[in-house]
């Protein structure tokens, strides 16, 4: 579809490290991100009682603009692109932190690709072998990534976001129709028994 697509390994376009293993605190200024903080649409949710105290040695774990995290262990493998508006965040050791050069790779593009059904299948195969998926860093670094020019990456992200919005609106409409149907049926049954 696109000309000039570079097929490369993730390790050639990104630095990859594990998140921080630390006990959660009840309060603090830095959110501690675990897989339970993501809903079915991969949006981060409530952070009550999930903070860490930041020490100088932990600064390398703070997410930066254009960073991506990838759940490399557990029942659900997924990627999420961090944005600074989300505030200070350190991901747990369940996640890989994938740090890219924003002049070469758009973080949202990379998370979109990693969440695609094709890459999800590949990631699941990498992590297979037990009931709990676990992807090694070496396997992740060797994962092939299709990398079109940066402007094309941005277009792909825009299209993906528009489709996500459309899916969300359609889901809301279906839910309202289900509620309407139940209301009509309840009304009909109530009127019939009188």
């Amino acid at each position: 579809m696109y000309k000039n697509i570079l097929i490369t390994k993730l390790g050639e376009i990104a630095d990859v490290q594990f998140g921080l293993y630390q006990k959660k605190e009840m309060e603090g200024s830095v959110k501690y991100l675990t897989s339970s903080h993501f809903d079915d649409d991969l949006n981060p949710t409530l952070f009550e009682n999930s903070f860490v105290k930041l020490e100088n040695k932990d600064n390398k774990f703070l997410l930066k603009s254009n960073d991506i995290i990838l759940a490399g262990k557990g029942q659900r493998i997924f990627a999420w692109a961090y944005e600074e508006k989300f505030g200070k965040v350190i991901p747990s050791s369940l996640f890989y932190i994938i740090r890219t050069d924003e002049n070469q790779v758009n973080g949202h593009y990379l998370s979109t690709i990693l969440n695609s059904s094709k890459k999800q299948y590949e990631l699941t195969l990498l992590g297979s072998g037990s009931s709990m998926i676990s992807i090694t860093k070496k396997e992740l670094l060797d994962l092939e990534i299709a990398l079109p020019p940066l402007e094309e990456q941005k277009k792909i992200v825009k299209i993906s976001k528009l489709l996500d919005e459309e899916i969300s609106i359609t889901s809301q409409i279906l839910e309202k129709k289900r509620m309407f149907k139940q209301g009509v049926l309840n009304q009909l049954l109530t009127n019939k028994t009188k």
Side-chain angles (χ1 to χ4, degrees):
M1 185 172 160
Y2 295 108
K3 296 178 182 176
N4 304 326
I5 292 183
L6 171 68
I7 304 296
T8 186
K9 292 184 178 182
L10 184 61
E12 294 173 4
I13 59 170
D15 292 324
V16 177
Q17 70 176 19
F18 284 107
L20 179 67
Y21 178 75
Q22 191 167 332
K23 188 175 179 183
K24 294 188 281 188
E25 303 279 336
M26 297 292 272
E27 53 186 44
S29 60
V30 180
K31 297 170 187 164
Y32 188 59
L33 198 57
T34 67
S35 65
S36 63
H37 290 122
F38 290 89
D39 63 19
D40 292 339
D41 296 320
L42 305 181
N43 296 312
T45 55
L46 296 175
F47 280 90
E48 293 177 7
N49 307 324
S50 188
F51 297 92
V52 290
K53 292 186 176 141
L54 186 63
E55 297 178 21
N56 285 339
K57 64 180 175 60
D58 300 332
N59 280 334
K60 69 179 183 176
F61 298 105
L62 269 174
L63 293 181
K64 299 176 183 176
S65 179
N66 209 55
D67 281 356
I68 301 101
I69 59 172
L70 175 75
K73 302 173 196 160
Q75 301 293 327
R76 185 169 70 147
I77 303 298
F78 65 92
W80 178 69
Y82 171 76
E83 294 178 12
E84 287 180 344
K85 68 181 180 182
F86 196 69
K88 288 185 175 182
V89 177
I90 289 182
S92 73
S93 59
L94 167 82
F95 294 103
Y96 284 106
I97 300 171
I98 303 172
R99 193 155 283 156
T100 62
D101 176 359
E102 62 187 30
N103 296 314
Q104 185 182 13
V105 182
N106 179 292
H108 287 282
Y109 167 78
L110 187 54
S111 69
T112 299
I113 294 305
L114 292 171
N115 287 326
S116 71
S117 58
K118 181 180 179 188
K119 285 298 173 202
Q120 284 290 299
Y121 177 73
E122 290 177 34
L123 289 166
T124 302
L125 287 178
L126 290 178
S128 65
S130 69
S131 60
M132 190 84 88
I133 295 173
S134 181
I135 300 169
T136 68
K137 184 175 177 180
K138 182 187 178 328
E139 291 171 325
L140 185 59
L141 292 172
D142 287 339
L143 185 69
E144 287 190 346
I145 302 292
L147 200 62
L150 197 55
E151 285 307 310
E152 300 302 324
Q153 293 176 41
K154 291 176 183 175
K155 288 177 186 176
I156 291 168
V157 169
K158 190 173 185 178
I159 291 168
S160 178
K161 284 185 177 183
L162 286 172
L163 290 170
D164 284 343
E165 287 175 20
E166 186 176 330
I167 289 167
S168 176
I169 291 168
T170 301
S171 295
Q172 291 172 25
I173 291 170
L174 286 172
E175 184 58 32
K176 289 184 188 289
K177 285 185 177 186
R178 283 186 195 102
M179 290 169 51
F180 178 73
K181 175 186 172 188
Q182 287 304 314
V184 168
L185 289 175
N186 288 342
Q187 186 68 35
L188 289 172
L189 292 172
T190 303
N191 287 338
K192 216 168 198 187
T193 58
K194 287 182 179 178

